[in-house]
Amino acid sequence: MVETMLADYDAAFGLRSVALRYFNAAGADPEGGIGEDHDPETHLIPNVLKSVLRQSEHPLKVFGDDYETPDGTCVRDYIHVADLGDAHLKALDYLLQGGKTDAFNLGNGKGFSVLDVINAARKVTGREINYSVVARRAGDPAVLVASAAKARTTLGWTPKYTDLGEIIETAWRWHQSRHS
Protein backbone atom coordinates (compact mmCIF):
# COMPACT_ATOMS: atom_id res chain seq x y z
CA MET A 1 0.00 0.00 0.00
CA VAL A 2 2.80 2.44 0.88
CA GLU A 3 4.50 1.70 -2.43
CA THR A 4 1.24 2.56 -4.23
CA MET A 5 1.03 5.79 -2.23
CA LEU A 6 4.62 6.67 -3.14
CA ALA A 7 3.86 6.11 -6.84
CA ASP A 8 0.76 8.32 -6.47
CA TYR A 9 2.85 11.10 -4.88
CA ASP A 10 5.26 10.87 -7.79
CA ALA A 11 2.38 11.19 -10.28
CA ALA A 12 0.67 14.01 -8.36
CA PHE A 13 3.64 16.01 -7.04
CA GLY A 14 6.77 14.78 -8.79
CA LEU A 15 8.19 13.37 -5.55
CA ARG A 16 10.26 10.41 -6.74
CA SER A 17 11.21 7.65 -4.32
CA VAL A 18 12.71 4.22 -4.02
CA ALA A 19 11.26 1.55 -1.72
CA LEU A 20 13.82 -1.00 -0.55
CA ARG A 21 12.34 -4.30 0.56
CA TYR A 22 14.71 -5.88 3.08
CA PHE A 23 14.64 -9.57 3.59
CA ASN A 24 16.35 -10.75 6.81
CA ALA A 25 18.85 -8.07 7.77
CA ALA A 26 21.73 -9.73 9.61
CA GLY A 27 25.31 -9.31 10.69
CA ALA A 28 27.02 -6.30 12.19
CA ASP A 29 29.31 -3.48 11.19
CA PRO A 30 32.51 -5.24 10.04
CA GLU A 31 34.49 -2.83 12.24
CA GLY A 32 32.43 -4.00 15.24
CA GLY A 33 30.83 -0.69 16.20
CA ILE A 34 27.17 -1.31 15.42
CA GLY A 35 25.13 -4.50 15.80
CA GLU A 36 21.68 -5.84 16.53
CA ASP A 37 20.25 -6.15 20.03
CA HIS A 38 16.49 -5.93 20.58
CA ASP A 39 14.48 -6.51 23.71
CA PRO A 40 12.77 -8.81 23.16
CA GLU A 41 14.94 -10.26 20.41
CA THR A 42 12.96 -12.04 17.71
CA HIS A 43 15.58 -12.57 14.99
CA LEU A 44 17.23 -15.95 14.56
CA ILE A 45 20.93 -15.07 14.24
CA PRO A 46 21.11 -12.83 17.34
CA ASN A 47 19.07 -15.38 19.30
CA VAL A 48 21.44 -18.18 18.28
CA LEU A 49 24.47 -16.11 19.30
CA LYS A 50 22.89 -14.99 22.56
CA SER A 51 22.11 -18.62 23.38
CA VAL A 52 25.84 -19.37 23.03
CA LEU A 53 26.86 -16.44 25.22
CA ARG A 54 24.27 -17.10 27.93
CA GLN A 55 24.67 -20.87 27.95
CA SER A 56 21.11 -20.92 29.25
CA GLU A 57 19.47 -24.02 30.58
CA HIS A 58 16.62 -23.14 28.19
CA PRO A 59 17.59 -24.28 24.70
CA LEU A 60 17.02 -22.19 21.60
CA LYS A 61 13.58 -22.81 20.10
CA VAL A 62 13.31 -24.08 16.53
CA PHE A 63 9.75 -23.56 15.36
CA GLY A 64 8.94 -26.69 13.36
CA ASP A 65 11.01 -29.31 11.58
CA ASP A 66 8.34 -30.67 9.25
CA TYR A 67 8.38 -28.06 6.47
CA GLU A 68 8.89 -29.10 2.86
CA THR A 69 12.54 -28.06 2.86
CA PRO A 70 15.72 -30.16 2.68
CA ASP A 71 16.10 -30.38 6.49
CA GLY A 72 12.49 -29.66 7.50
CA THR A 73 13.17 -26.19 8.95
CA CYS A 74 12.20 -22.82 7.49
CA VAL A 75 14.46 -21.31 4.85
CA ARG A 76 15.14 -17.57 4.78
CA ASP A 77 17.29 -15.12 2.83
CA TYR A 78 19.82 -13.27 5.03
CA ILE A 79 21.29 -9.98 3.84
CA HIS A 80 24.20 -8.28 5.60
CA VAL A 81 23.59 -4.80 7.01
CA ALA A 82 26.65 -3.43 5.17
CA ASP A 83 25.09 -4.58 1.90
CA LEU A 84 21.85 -2.81 2.87
CA GLY A 85 23.80 0.40 3.48
CA ASP A 86 25.40 0.07 0.05
CA ALA A 87 21.96 -0.45 -1.52
CA HIS A 88 20.72 2.78 0.09
CA LEU A 89 23.61 4.71 -1.43
CA LYS A 90 23.00 3.18 -4.85
CA ALA A 91 19.26 3.96 -4.59
CA LEU A 92 20.03 7.58 -3.74
CA ASP A 93 22.45 7.83 -6.66
CA TYR A 94 19.78 6.29 -8.92
CA LEU A 95 17.28 9.00 -7.89
CA LEU A 96 19.85 11.79 -8.23
CA GLN A 97 20.52 10.60 -11.79
CA GLY A 98 16.81 10.92 -12.63
CA GLY A 99 15.65 7.38 -11.88
CA LYS A 100 11.91 6.78 -11.62
CA THR A 101 9.93 5.80 -8.54
CA ASP A 102 10.39 2.08 -8.03
CA ALA A 103 10.71 -0.74 -5.51
CA PHE A 104 13.52 -3.26 -5.14
CA ASN A 105 13.99 -6.50 -3.21
CA LEU A 106 17.24 -6.68 -1.26
CA GLY A 107 18.46 -10.16 -0.47
CA ASN A 108 21.18 -12.67 -1.25
CA GLY A 109 18.94 -14.71 -3.48
CA LYS A 110 20.06 -17.74 -1.43
CA GLY A 111 18.10 -19.47 1.24
CA PHE A 112 19.50 -20.80 4.48
CA SER A 113 17.50 -23.02 6.81
CA VAL A 114 17.25 -22.59 10.56
CA LEU A 115 19.55 -25.60 10.95
CA ASP A 116 21.99 -24.09 8.41
CA VAL A 117 22.17 -21.00 10.64
CA ILE A 118 22.71 -23.10 13.78
CA ASN A 119 25.43 -25.20 12.10
CA ALA A 120 27.20 -22.13 10.68
CA ALA A 121 27.08 -20.49 14.13
CA ARG A 122 28.63 -23.64 15.65
CA LYS A 123 31.53 -23.36 13.22
CA VAL A 124 31.97 -19.62 13.81
CA THR A 125 31.77 -19.78 17.61
CA GLY A 126 33.41 -23.16 18.09
CA ARG A 127 30.68 -23.96 20.61
CA GLU A 128 27.74 -26.32 20.85
CA ILE A 129 24.30 -24.79 20.34
CA ASN A 130 21.49 -26.47 22.20
CA TYR A 131 18.07 -26.25 20.64
CA SER A 132 14.70 -27.89 20.91
CA VAL A 133 12.11 -28.26 18.21
CA VAL A 134 8.73 -26.83 19.16
CA ALA A 135 5.48 -26.45 17.22
CA ARG A 136 5.39 -24.34 14.09
CA ARG A 137 4.39 -20.71 14.40
CA ALA A 138 1.14 -19.88 12.64
CA GLY A 139 1.69 -18.27 9.26
CA ASP A 140 5.38 -19.13 8.83
CA PRO A 141 5.97 -20.05 5.18
CA ALA A 142 8.46 -22.81 4.43
CA VAL A 143 10.67 -20.65 2.19
CA LEU A 144 11.15 -16.88 1.75
CA VAL A 145 13.98 -15.96 -0.62
CA ALA A 146 14.43 -12.68 -2.50
CA SER A 147 15.10 -12.11 -6.13
CA ALA A 148 17.35 -9.06 -6.20
CA ALA A 149 17.80 -9.24 -9.98
CA LYS A 150 16.02 -5.92 -10.48
CA ALA A 151 18.28 -4.18 -7.92
CA ARG A 152 21.30 -5.68 -9.70
CA THR A 153 20.28 -4.52 -13.16
CA THR A 154 18.72 -1.15 -12.30
CA LEU A 155 20.79 0.02 -9.33
CA GLY A 156 23.99 -1.88 -10.07
CA TRP A 157 23.80 -3.39 -6.58
CA THR A 158 25.18 -6.79 -5.67
CA PRO A 159 25.59 -8.06 -2.12
CA LYS A 160 29.19 -8.60 -1.05
CA TYR A 161 28.38 -10.78 1.96
CA THR A 162 26.91 -13.93 0.47
CA ASP A 163 28.49 -16.49 2.80
CA LEU A 164 26.33 -17.26 5.84
CA GLY A 165 29.39 -17.93 8.00
CA GLU A 166 30.85 -14.54 7.16
CA ILE A 167 27.56 -12.80 8.02
CA ILE A 168 27.40 -14.64 11.33
CA GLU A 169 31.09 -13.93 12.05
CA THR A 170 30.49 -10.15 11.98
CA ALA A 171 27.52 -10.53 14.33
CA TRP A 172 29.48 -12.84 16.61
CA ARG A 173 32.35 -10.35 16.98
CA TRP A 174 29.86 -7.62 17.89
CA HIS A 175 27.91 -9.78 20.36
CA GLN A 176 31.12 -10.90 22.06
CA SER A 177 32.21 -7.28 22.49
CA ARG A 178 28.84 -6.39 24.05
CA HIS A 179 28.26 -9.42 26.25
CA SER A 180 31.69 -10.48 27.41
Side-chain angles (χ1 to χ4, degrees):
M1 183 61 161
V2 171
E3 289 174 12
T4 300
M5 292 168 52
L6 290 170
D8 290 345
Y9 263 76
D10 185 2
F13 306 111
L15 178 65
R16 291 175 299 112
S17 62
V18 169
L20 299 176
R21 301 174 185 146
Y22 295 12
F23 275 63
N24 292 283
D29 168 26
E31 304 302 315
I34 301 171
E36 179 179 20
D37 192 9
H38 304 121
D39 186 20
E41 182 60 69
T42 59
H43 299 136
L44 178 61
I45 291 174
N47 275 329
V48 168
L49 297 177
K50 284 181 174 186
S51 78
V52 170
L53 290 167
R54 285 191 309 253
Q55 293 299 314
S56 172
E57 67 275 1
H58 301 291
L60 179 76
K61 291 180 182 176
V62 172
F63 295 98
D65 65 353
D66 59 348
Y67 288 92
E68 290 187 33
T69 62
D71 66 18
T73 63
C74 290
V75 171
R76 298 291 182 265
D77 189 330
Y78 294 92
I79 183 72
H80 195 277
V81 293
D83 288 327
L84 293 174
D86 182 51
H88 279 264
L89 294 174
K90 293 201 182 294
L92 180 59
D93 189 47
Y94 165 79
L95 287 173
L96 291 172
Q97 292 180 20
K100 65 181 181 71
T101 293
D102 213 336
F104 300 93
N105 292 334
L106 300 179
N108 259 326
K110 295 181 191 176
F112 300 102
S113 74
V114 172
L115 292 182
D116 289 336
V117 170
I118 290 171
N119 289 328
R122 280 182 179 139
K123 287 179 185 169
V124 166
T125 65
R127 299 186 192 170
E128 187 57 38
I129 298 169
N130 296 319
Y131 68 90
S132 65
V133 177
V134 297
R136 288 183 180 196
R137 291 183 297 198
D140 269 353
V143 178
L144 279 177
V145 177
S147 171
K150 186 175 164 185
R152 251 188 314 284
T153 58
T154 306
L155 302 178
W157 175 81
T158 303
K160 293 174 182 69
Y161 289 86
T162 57
D163 178 74
L164 180 61
E166 191 176 14
I167 292 169
I168 292 171
E169 173 64 34
T170 64
W172 176 237
R173 282 195 306 265
W174 185 81
H175 277 278
Q176 283 182 300
S177 72
R178 297 264 302 175
H179 300 284
S180 57

